[in-house]
Amino acid sequence: MFSLLSTATMLGAFTALLAIVFQAYLASNELVKLTVVLQHLRDLEVEFPVNGPRVAIGYGSCSDLHVRAVDFLQYNDNIRTELNATEYTFDDIANEEEFLLNFAYYFQRGAAAERFTANREMFLELVQRAKKSPSVQHHWALGGNAPVIGTRMAIEGANVILGAKMSSKLKTHLKEEVHLTGSLIEDDDIHLILEYNTGDTWGDLVSPRANRYILHNDHHNPFLSSLEEFDEPLRNFQPDLFIVSGLQMMDNYVYPPGVREARLEKVRQQMQAQSRHPQTLIHFEMASFVELELLQLLRHKVLPYADSIGMNEQELDNLQQVLETGKISLVADCNPRVAHSLDQARAVFRKLNAEFYQHSTADSTRRPLSRIHLHTLAYQAFIVAKDSRWQNTKNAAAKASLTAHRHVCATNIVNPDAAYLQMDDSFAVSAKAGADRVHFNNRDPVSCWEESILIDGTRSVAVEICVAPVLICKHAIQTVGAGDNISGAGLVLQI
């Protein structure tokens, strides 16, 4: 009996040891794979130098107050009860209860969100609580799409002018290479940044991925207050690239009649004016919008005049839904398949170009969409028209991928030990039946191919599509600003 028990115990121990050895073998193989992928992404990133392109970017700025969401927010059992009763997707957050329910809605889906509250008293109370609570760590940073994208492009070697107003204190956080065109103001708009990591728990809610929720009560940015002061510098600068961003600050803000339309008309005029400079490309950076009326305004006043659009998976899904159904999509799959995302990007490319061909005769300042950059947690995807002036798509995809890791991990060094891949060993190029599959190659990690996208019954556009894996940061330090840094890094190699 003793012998049999001893044998069983030894077999169990041996099996456990084999499992440990096998796991170590797998981990070692994965580390080798990541190291090879990293080296080849780096080779692509540095293949072409950045020769000081001229970049103009608007609009606005803010001071970001960062806190860890699950440490700052107090969970209560009523939240689960209310969430089960209905989905709380308030547009304008009226009180703290709505704020908590709205945060919970996005947190449990791992979806990025940016929301406005008109309740200034509540907002300032939350800011003071974040600043003064002894149990909550916080830090301040330069915020706003335009300053963050501009800073990234200046770091990468671009010559940048920024259409924004900010306080003298906030300006000290702006890199010297980014030239502010707007005047100084007394007080900056503040954004409360609630960061959370993959697997964070808040009550009985669990986040499926790292992301952030932003709450703001802006009073400068909704009016794009730097627009007029940006006119002359923009005209004299004659940029290689003009980036339009920060328009989500107009979402759900209550304006006097006609004011928002007039401000967007001024944006359109600045975009149209770039037609005087044939070398100038225009990029529009999407963001988190929940107001259909604003998205419809952007569809008519901004999108027709942009060569390029940058967005994440939530924003792509939202834009496609608005273009095809006229309805808002509040959240989407936070980890979408490549095939599904590419189909959505093709649909947006097709729809916006169909509208260009339909209206370009009447308006010569309209531009065909020639570039889409989709940034997700797991991959970067580009669709670029072959006859356009965008360059080095494969290299840009690699740079965007590496920038994603560096920003989220808050490091200049990409360490394979601190990363993992979420992409499969192969992916379909479309969700349609019979679609080709692309097999992942460690030594050629950015997959590119050419195809034609049928725009309407008579026209098609030849495009290059590139997909790059992201070496995902295992322990996210910061997610806010990731999309802006990724977009800026991708653009700088393409102009």
Side-chain angles (χ1 to χ4, degrees):
M1 186 68 174
F2 175 79
S3 178
L4 287 174
L5 286 174
S6 298
T7 301
T9 301
M10 291 175 63
L11 282 172
F14 182 67
T15 302
L17 179 60
L18 280 178
I20 293 170
V21 171
F22 183 64
Q23 289 299 321
Y25 170 77
L26 290 178
S28 176
N29 272 6
E30 184 64 18
L31 184 58
V32 170
K33 176 181 178 179
L34 287 169
T35 303
V36 172
V37 169
L38 172 60
Q39 182 57 56
H40 288 278
L41 288 174
R42 282 175 173 163
D43 290 344
L44 286 168
E45 179 186 33
V46 300
E47 184 176 0
F48 297 106
V50 176
N51 294 315
R54 302 164 69 83
V55 178
I57 180 166
Y59 304 92
S61 68
C62 63
S63 185
D64 282 349
L65 175 58
H66 294 248
V67 294
R68 179 169 153 79
V70 296
D71 294 337
F72 175 63
L73 300 178
Q74 294 297 313
Y75 181 87
N76 64 72
D77 292 336
N78 291 334
I79 290 172
R80 167 54 71 189
T81 303
E82 295 285 352
L83 282 175
N84 288 338
T86 185
E87 291 186 339
Y88 279 81
T89 57
F90 309 100
D91 296 338
D92 174 15
I93 309 298
N95 53 56
E96 192 162 345
E97 180 186 7
E98 290 185 359
F99 165 52
L100 292 174
L101 287 167
N102 195 244
F103 169 79
Y105 176 84
Y106 290 100
F107 173 82
Q108 67 181 347
R109 292 164 172 81
E114 193 164 359
R115 294 293 173 266
F116 171 77
T117 177
N119 187 337
R120 186 158 185 80
E121 183 180 355
M122 178 198 75
F123 181 77
L124 293 178
E125 165 61 25
L126 288 169
V127 168
Q128 289 302 313
R129 199 184 305 167
K131 288 165 58 178
K132 295 182 177 180
S133 173
S135 62
V136 178
Q137 290 188 341
H138 73 274
H139 71 274
W140 293 90
L142 174 68
N145 303 98
V148 175
I149 296 175
T151 297
R152 169 50 53 192
M153 298 195 80
I155 290 171
E156 302 297 344
N159 181 11
V160 179
I161 63 169
L162 170 64
K165 293 182 179 182
M166 61 181 65
S167 68
S168 56
K169 181 178 179 180
L170 188 61
K171 189 182 176 185
T172 62
H173 295 274
L174 197 64
K175 292 189 74 66
E176 292 182 2
E177 297 85 352
V178 179
H179 305 284
L180 184 68
T181 64
S183 54
L184 296 177
I185 55 178
E186 288 297 319
D187 61 325
D188 297 296
D189 288 335
I190 295 173
H191 288 192
L192 182 58
I193 313 294
L194 300 161
E195 298 259 16
Y196 53 87
N197 218 322
T198 305
D200 271 3
T201 58
W202 190 55
D204 63 350
L205 304 179
V206 181
S207 169
R209 60 160 288 186
N211 225 318
R212 81 292 185 278
Y213 181 103
I214 302 173
L215 187 70
H216 71 93
N217 176 249
D218 286 6
H219 52 283
H220 294 298
N221 290 325
F223 291 94
L224 309 181
S225 60
S226 60
L227 263 171
E228 281 71 20
E229 290 179 276
F230 200 34
D231 260 337
E232 186 176 354
L234 181 60
R235 181 169 55 253
N236 296 334
F237 192 59
Q238 298 186 22
D240 298 301
L241 177 67
F242 175 32
I243 301 175
V244 174
S245 69
L247 301 187
Q248 75 275 15
M249 295 298 99
M250 308 179 93
D251 203 76
N252 280 297
Y253 190 88
V254 180
Y255 295 85
V259 169
R260 181 165 65 179
E261 290 79 2
R263 301 311 283 161
L264 284 174
E265 180 61 30
K266 178 66 177 175
V267 173
R268 172 160 72 173
Q269 291 169 7
Q270 285 193 346
M271 296 175 78
Q272 289 175 305
Q274 303 314 304
S275 295
R276 294 194 298 260
H277 314 302
Q279 88 282 4
T280 301
L281 291 162
I282 300 178
H283 173 80
F284 174 54
E285 189 66 19
M286 279 285 292
S288 178
F289 295 94
V290 296
E291 188 188 352
L292 181 59
E293 182 182 347
L294 176 57
L295 276 164
Q296 295 291 15
L297 284 170
L298 297 178
R299 180 177 180 178
H300 297 294
K301 292 183 179 293
V302 175
L303 290 173
Y305 306 95
D307 300 280
S308 167
I309 306 175
M311 53 201 148
N312 66 23
E313 68 283 352
Q314 311 286 336
E315 296 151 8
L316 172 61
D317 187 76
N318 199 14
L319 180 56
Q320 185 202 5
Q321 290 297 317
V322 169
L323 291 175
E324 294 192 342
T325 69
K327 297 179 181 178
I328 289 285
S329 168
L330 291 170
V331 292
D333 184 352
C334 64
N335 292 305
R337 292 282 188 178
V338 174
H340 178 66
S341 293
L342 290 180
D343 282 345
Q344 287 187 309
R346 290 183 186 99
V348 169
F349 189 91
R350 184 180 299 112
K351 182 67 175 177
L352 290 178
N353 277 302
E355 292 182 358
F356 163 77
Y357 287 117
Q358 183 180 354
H359 299 290
S360 59
T361 302
D363 182 359
S364 62
T365 61
R366 293 176 74 108
R367 296 174 177 232
L369 182 65
S370 54
R371 179 183 183 271
I372 289 177
H373 176 190
L374 169 66
H375 41 89
T376 79
L377 177 72
Y379 55 87
Q380 307 290 317
F382 287 69
I383 297 181
V384 176
K386 289 289 291 177
D387 63 352
S388 67
R389 286 180 290 121
W390 302 105
Q391 307 171 37
N392 311 323
T393 302
K394 187 171 188 175
N395 307 81
K399 188 170 191 65
S401 170
L402 293 172
T403 301
H405 179 97
R406 290 174 184 136
H407 178 81
V408 175
C409 268
T411 178
N412 290 324
I413 299 170
V414 182
N415 180 359
D417 279 326
Y420 68 96
L421 291 175
Q422 193 165 291
M423 279 186 65
D424 297 329
D425 288 336
S426 69
F427 61 86
V429 300
S430 170
K432 295 178 180 177
D436 292 339
R437 294 195 70 84
V438 174
H439 293 273
F440 186 73
N441 182 347
N442 300 348
R443 298 184 178 280
D444 190 14
V446 182
S447 304
C448 298
W449 65 93
E450 295 180 10
E451 62 179 66
S452 290
I453 296 179
L454 185 65
I455 303 301
D456 52 34
T458 60
R459 295 184 182 89
S460 62
V461 176
V463 299
E464 180 180 31
I465 298 179
C466 289
V467 177
V470 173
L471 278 70
I472 302 170
C473 178
K474 285 181 180 178
H475 304 290
I477 304 299
Q478 54 186 4
T479 60
V480 72
D484 295 330
N485 277 273
I486 291 164
S487 283
L491 284 163
V492 78
L493 284 183
Q494 293 215 261
I495 52 177

